[in-house]
Amino acid sequence: MKRKRTLMQLLVVGLFSFLIVTMFPPTQTAQACSCVPPESVQKELEKSDAVFRGVVTDMEKPAQFFGGSSGDLVEVTLEVEETWKGVETKEVIVQTAISSASCGFEFEVGKEYLVYARQTGEGLHVSLCSRTAAIEYATNDLDELEKGKTDFKEEVTKANPSQTGLQTSILIGTSSAAIIFLGVFIFRRQNK
């Protein structure tokens, strides 16, 4: 009887520890973004899936419960002013990491940018390592981009939905709670 009780206490402590570690992961050594210098405007135009000039109209940051990650994705909506490649709509949504520590480009609502984006499984992605820049720092790039504006369609080019950090945290928390409840239920049943 004493052995069963000790075993059940260890199970509950183990499950509780698992819950704490998954909800509040240990701090890790931060690693800064490391970029290779971008190539010429023409090479970056060729490598990118979308190149356009636009003003940020909205940003949706993920809810960062339980610490979050610097790699969580921000959805940035831009009103397109001019396009050279890959965008045929008046509005486009791109994604980038929430922090420059994870090579995310830090956009600001209301500012205009020249954007170089690549298509990923989650949609158009912008990196700090691309030639993306605030418009006041992109005059040389704009001079080299020869094509004019293209016609726009009315629909929105949008990033594919991705699982956010909040959804992952809720899934882990719910699973951990269910395991702990099951352990307590079994423990109480065996002690009756």
Side-chain angles (χ1 to χ4, degrees):
M1 180 70 167
K2 186 176 181 182
R3 190 175 218 171
K4 283 185 183 180
R5 174 171 267 152
T6 303
L7 181 61
M8 289 309 294
Q9 289 171 342
L10 286 173
L11 175 66
V12 170
V13 168
L15 291 173
F16 183 72
S17 299
F18 173 76
L19 175 65
I20 295 297
V21 169
T22 56
M23 299 303 264
F24 305 100
T27 56
Q28 299 174 357
T29 304
Q31 295 184 6
C33 174
S34 178
C35 299
V36 173
E39 296 190 50
S40 70
V41 174
Q42 290 303 317
K43 291 239 186 222
E44 288 294 322
L45 178 62
E46 290 171 19
K47 288 176 21 180
S48 298
D49 295 304
V51 179
F52 63 95
R53 171 182 176 170
V55 177
V56 175
T57 58
D58 190 34
M59 289 176 52
E60 286 189 39
K61 295 183 179 181
Q64 293 213 309
F65 296 103
F66 309 114
S69 166
S70 66
D72 288 345
L73 297 177
V74 177
E75 285 192 351
V76 181
T77 304
L78 295 106
E79 183 177 322
V80 179
E81 301 292 326
E82 191 171 9
T83 182
W84 290 271
K85 184 177 182 183
V87 174
E88 297 177 351
T89 56
K90 189 65 178 161
E91 189 174 84
V92 65
I93 298 175
V94 298
Q95 294 180 329
T96 189
I98 197 167
S99 170
S100 60
S102 292
C103 297
F105 189 88
E106 296 182 3
F107 289 96
E108 291 180 39
V109 174
K111 286 191 77 173
E112 187 175 8
Y113 296 89
L114 177 60
V115 178
Y116 293 81
R118 293 209 176 160
Q119 186 68 42
T120 67
E122 295 157 347
L124 288 175
H125 184 82
V126 177
S127 170
L128 179 65
C129 300
S130 70
R131 292 189 70 92
T132 299
I135 207 69
E136 61 267 19
Y137 301 114
T139 53
N140 290 339
D141 287 40
L142 290 170
D143 290 342
E144 289 189 43
L145 293 167
E146 297 173 10
K147 292 184 181 178
K149 295 178 184 176
T150 61
D151 292 332
F152 297 109
K153 295 179 183 174
E154 287 304 313
E155 64 266 2
V156 175
T157 304
K158 187 172 182 176
N160 295 334
S162 62
Q163 187 173 11
T164 64
L166 173 61
Q167 292 169 327
T168 304
S169 296
I170 290 171
L171 180 63
I172 291 171
T174 305
S175 299
S176 297
I179 291 170
I180 290 171
F181 176 77
L182 182 62
V184 170
F185 176 76
I186 291 170
F187 174 74
R188 287 189 175 180
R189 187 168 180 174
Q190 286 182 352
N191 286 331
K192 285 187 178 183

